[in-house]
Amino acid sequence: VLFECLAGRPPFHAVREQAVLKMHLEDAAPDIREQRKDVPEGLAMAIEKAVMREREDRWQEAAHMKESLSMASPE
């Protein structure tokens, strides 16, 4: 959802649902900075981890993602 909020579109998008499903299965999610050059590196890294294909590669607890996001935001 955060990727879509920042980029204005979901990480995987196509006209046909089958194409989107294939992208989810075969493609790595795009870097948010391909759509938004102004996204800080720390935020981009947090989003990248959140959209990893394998469950064990994603955030295991919301608190960990929150902590990463809070460190990524400018003070």
Side-chain angles (χ1 to χ4, degrees):
V1 172
L2 185 54
F3 184 104
E4 188 170 354
C5 287
L6 290 170
R9 65 167 185 82
F12 300 108
H13 63 98
V15 174
R16 298 185 55 194
E17 291 176 11
Q18 294 87 350
V20 175
L21 291 172
K22 184 177 181 195
M23 288 179 206
H24 275 281
L25 293 172
E26 298 177 358
D27 300 343
D31 186 332
I32 185 67
R33 292 172 292 180
E34 292 174 8
Q35 301 296 312
R36 291 278 309 269
K37 305 284 187 213
D38 61 329
V39 171
E41 183 178 351
L43 178 55
M45 290 173 60
I47 293 170
E48 179 182 3
K49 184 171 179 80
V51 297
M52 297 297 288
R53 181 178 297 122
E54 300 298 326
R55 176 178 287 166
E56 59 272 5
D57 294 334
R58 297 189 299 258
W59 300 105
Q60 300 303 302
E61 296 184 25
H64 295 153
M65 184 176 183
K66 179 183 174 187
E67 182 180 331
S68 178
L69 290 171
S70 68
M71 290 189 296
S73 64
E75 297 195 28

